[in-house]
Amino acid sequence: MTFPAVPIVAAPMGGGPSTPELVAAVSGAGGLGFLAAGYRTAEAVAEDVRATRELTAAPIGVNVFVPGAPADPATYAPYVERLRAEGHPVGEPRWEDDAYAAKLDLLASDPVAVVSFTFGCPDAAVVRRLQAAGSTVWVTVTSVDEARAAVAAGADALVAQGVEAGAHRGSFADDAGDLTLLVLLQLLRAATDVPLVASGGIASGAGVAAALAAGARAAQLGTAFLRCPEAGTAPVHRDAVATAAPTRITRAFTGRQARGIVNRFLAEHTDGAPAAYPEGHHATAPVRAAARAAGDADALHLWAGQAHELAREVPAGELVRALAAEARDALAAAGSALR
Amino acid sequence: MTFPAVPIVAAPMGGGPSTPELVAAVSGAGGLGFLAAGYRTAEAVAEDVRATRELTAAPIGVNVFVPGAPADPATYAPYVERLRAEGHPVGEPRWEDDAYAAKLDLLASDPVAVVSFTFGCPDAAVVRRLQAAGSTVWVTVTSVDEARAAVAAGADALVAQGVEAGAHRGSFADDAGDLTLLVLLQLLRAATDVPLVASGGIASGAGVAAALAAGARAAQLGTAFLRCPEAGTAPVHRDAVATAAPTRITRAFTGRQARGIVNRFLAEHTDGAPAAYPEGHHATAPVRAAARAAGDADALHLWAGQAHELAREVPAGELVRALAAEARDALAAAGSALR
């Protein structure tokens, strides 16, 4: 496939929200749903793909994390020690590669329509292997330099992620700048002809229309789907998304820049949180698991994009159709302003 | 007037760039040019208005700074002392109100089509006075709360400024959040029916189209006009805008958050720069005047939005027409993607 009939993509949301039911509902409505392979074994991803296919025959996508390098323990040791001293249940701050090779093997042998990458640029050989298997390959970028590298590696399309996006910044290294989606789309349109998927802060049909007008072929929304009944969003997270609470970028929860709703853990631990991923993720995993189980909004990572309060509590397929209809209206209205 | 025939506004750019020639060229091409009243006496503003009217009969706008409160000297004394110790020619860090009352008297007695406000919300009585004189009143906002206050004060339209914008954040207090333009437009569209003017990071016809698609009635561009021959941009600033150098928000130059191209002064003085406007402006004014005279890109405030490298070296009227034509094409292309 190249792009879905309805240019709306459900972003891969690791850690629970992107269930097979959510992915199937979005793809079934003519958009494109994404499973999140991150934090899961290759076997669990295979099972997710199988479960999704039982629900829909429509094309689906799978997102894979590109592994980085281990951090020097000296960079995260003081942070881990501080968490421990504060009484938090701290996990082992270990590095691992999120089963990268096994996931690539799975996707090469049992291909899906689109494989997208986050946290880095896959090697050209990896891109070619997946393309040879029949998949389209997307790479997430946050800057023009990253875009050039992804195009050089053979990416079929770029997911342009602006700073307003919820959850992790998809930059290759943990040094993303602060380009907003609208700026990034304009800079990328001037730098490359590769198709763009717009990501970050899109939460309405007008937002979808704006992304398309800025030159994107599709709009990828994550936070906008968090309140859908098909999403596996934790109840405490679901409630927070529905408020107008401010968001902030932090490394406190995982050792990598990510945008979440400001809560006590984020406010108290952003300063001093190290750039060490996934060591930071594993260190705080028990803290977050306990918070999720207890429904404690003050210690859970409440990933959300800046426009989270606009997320609607409606079935995902209905949301895709509503956003597309609103986007059509928005483009027509904009056209009449340019009389 | 309500909105210009071509929905493109040249942002008021204080300190030199927004000359009568630039304003007249933009308004003459069917857009709306803005004079910047900030940092000038009421008499100088009256002269700018007169000079602009000699060049065009088209509607024009004037932007006025709303004064804030004096800062406690303790907040800026260490910064001023540090600059002095480093050998910089430091000015007196004094507070003043930018001749607010005199400028309002001028605009009430000799009205222009649109008066816009920045750095605060004018009193309802001020808004009514200007409206009674025949002007349309716009208020710059960076958040939903500011928008609600501006609507309550009677504003005819809101200039929605995203975090990607160049130069000063137009927030009421110096505590602007980090909402991007696309997010702010979506949130404001959900919160109010007042017409919106989109501002921040717009540098192409596709960007204009995106702003309109997101629900704005017009797009306001500043940095995009900095390289026009009619602009009074300092040569060293003009050169910097044409590069792909990164930008950053800083209080180093004026004591208020503003986005500029990263140079030595910005990099070395952002940490520790106080929230004290206009005291900070006056303290660093001699430093910046010397840098401008010497063509020193390392000590001048190189205000620029994130998309500055897309600014074109073309006459302003030509730029307005080109952006409008590109915006029309972008909307048509976006419409066909939503088939």
Side-chain angles (χ1 to χ4, degrees):
Chain A
M1 79 172 299
T2 48
F3 282 91
V6 178
I8 293 174
V9 176
M13 294 182 284
S18 290
T19 59
E21 290 73 19
L22 180 68
V23 174
V26 171
S27 287
L32 181 66
F34 263 87
L35 290 168
Y39 311 122
R40 292 173 74 67
T41 64
E43 294 71 28
V45 175
E47 172 55 25
D48 287 344
V49 171
R50 195 195 59 70
T52 310
R53 284 181 180 146
E54 281 194 5
L55 298 169
T56 184
I60 63 169
V62 171
N63 177 262
V64 176
F65 289 167
V66 177
D72 179 344
T75 63
Y76 57 78
Y79 186 68
V80 171
E81 203 37 60
R82 178 186 160 194
L83 292 179
R84 206 170 268 135
E86 290 174 359
H88 291 290
V90 179
E92 187 203 345
R94 63 193 172 82
W95 182 87
E96 34 81 29
D97 72 353
D98 201 43
Y100 188 57
K103 288 172 186 171
L104 295 179
D105 287 346
L106 166 70
L107 293 165
S109 66
D110 186 13
V112 292
V114 183
V115 177
S116 71
F117 289 92
T118 301
F119 294 165
C121 188
D123 291 342
V126 168
V127 174
R128 280 195 301 270
R129 183 183 178 202
L130 296 170
Q131 288 168 335
S135 295
T136 294
V137 175
W138 297 359
V139 176
T140 308
V141 301
T142 62
S143 71
V144 175
D145 285 349
E146 289 176 351
R148 291 208 171 98
V151 171
D156 296 301
L158 305 175
V159 180
Q161 189 204 43
V163 71
E164 55 273 83
H168 282 108
R169 299 282 280 140
S171 49
F172 292 2
D174 187 28
D175 59 355
D178 62 348
L179 296 182
T180 71
L181 176 59
L182 187 51
V183 168
L184 184 58
L185 289 173
Q186 292 176 92
L187 294 177
L188 293 182
R189 261 308 48 118
T192 173
D193 291 329
V194 170
L196 305 176
V197 177
S199 171
I202 304 172
S204 64
V208 171
L212 299 177
R217 287 285 299 276
Q220 177 171 291
L221 294 70
T223 309
F225 287 100
L226 280 176
R227 298 183 67 207
C228 294
E230 299 93 337
T233 317
V236 63
H237 189 184
R238 210 174 267 273
D239 292 345
V241 166
T243 71
T247 65
R248 183 174 167 191
I249 289 178
T250 185
R251 291 191 179 97
F253 292 109
T254 67
R256 215 180 202 282
Q257 291 186 12
R259 184 178 293 279
I261 292 170
V262 176
N263 62 4
R264 196 183 60 222
F265 191 93
L266 186 153
E268 292 180 355
H269 296 91
T270 295
D271 289 349
Y277 180 91
E279 292 91 341
H281 163 78
H282 290 299
T284 70
V287 182
R288 295 179 285 122
R292 175 192 279 256
D296 176 7
D298 271 326
L300 188 63
H301 54 290
L302 302 170
W303 296 155
Q306 286 187 343
H308 63 83
E309 70 184 88
L310 300 180
R312 309 173 197 175
E313 194 171 12
V314 294
E318 189 180 310
L319 181 58
V320 168
R321 284 184 288 270
L323 291 171
E326 291 167 21
R328 266 182 222 108
D329 291 348
L331 287 174
S336 68
L338 266 172
R339 60 197 172 277
Chain B
M1 80 174 299
T2 48
F3 284 91
V6 178
I8 294 175
V9 176
M13 295 181 284
S18 291
T19 60
E21 290 73 20
L22 180 68
V23 173
V26 171
S27 287
L32 181 65
F34 262 87
L35 290 167
Y39 313 122
R40 293 173 74 66
T41 64
E43 294 71 29
V45 175
E47 172 55 26
D48 286 344
V49 170
R50 196 195 57 72
T52 308
R53 284 180 180 148
E54 282 194 3
L55 298 170
T56 185
I60 63 170
V62 171
N63 176 262
V64 176
F65 289 167
V66 177
D72 179 344
T75 63
Y76 57 77
Y79 186 68
V80 170
E81 204 38 60
R82 177 185 159 194
L83 293 178
R84 206 170 265 135
E86 290 174 358
H88 291 290
V90 178
E92 187 202 346
R94 63 193 173 80
W95 181 88
E96 34 80 30
D97 72 354
D98 201 42
Y100 188 58
K103 288 173 187 173
L104 295 178
D105 285 347
L106 166 71
L107 292 166
S109 65
D110 185 13
V112 293
V114 183
V115 177
S116 71
F117 289 92
T118 302
F119 294 164
C121 189
D123 291 343
V126 168
V127 174
R128 279 195 301 268
R129 183 183 178 202
L130 296 170
Q131 288 168 335
S135 295
T136 295
V137 175
W138 297 358
V139 176
T140 308
V141 301
T142 62
S143 70
V144 175
D145 284 349
E146 290 176 351
R148 292 208 171 100
V151 170
D156 296 300
L158 305 175
V159 180
Q161 188 204 44
V163 71
E164 54 273 84
H168 282 108
R169 300 280 281 140
S171 49
F172 292 2
D174 187 29
D175 60 355
D178 63 348
L179 295 183
T180 71
L181 176 58
L182 187 50
V183 168
L184 184 58
L185 289 173
Q186 293 175 91
L187 294 177
L188 293 182
R189 263 304 52 113
T192 171
D193 290 328
V194 170
L196 305 176
V197 178
S199 172
I202 303 172
S204 65
V208 171
L212 300 177
R217 286 286 298 275
Q220 177 170 291
L221 293 71
T223 309
F225 287 99
L226 280 175
R227 297 183 67 207
C228 294
E230 299 92 338
T233 317
V236 63
H237 190 183
R238 208 174 269 272
D239 292 346
V241 166
T243 71
T247 66
R248 183 173 165 191
I249 290 179
T250 185
R251 291 190 178 98
F253 293 109
T254 68
R256 212 180 204 283
Q257 291 186 11
R259 183 179 292 279
I261 291 170
V262 177
N263 62 4
R264 195 183 61 220
F265 191 93
L266 186 153
E268 292 180 355
H269 296 91
T270 295
D271 290 349
Y277 180 91
E279 293 90 342
H281 163 79
H282 290 300
T284 71
V287 182
R288 294 178 287 121
R292 175 191 278 255
D296 176 7
D298 270 327
L300 188 64
H301 54 290
L302 303 171
W303 295 156
Q306 286 187 341
H308 63 83
E309 70 185 88
L310 300 179
R312 308 173 199 176
E313 195 173 11
V314 294
E318 190 179 311
L319 181 58
V320 168
R321 285 183 288 270
L323 291 171
E326 292 167 21
R328 266 181 222 108
D329 291 348
L331 288 174
S336 68
L338 266 173
R339 60 198 172 276

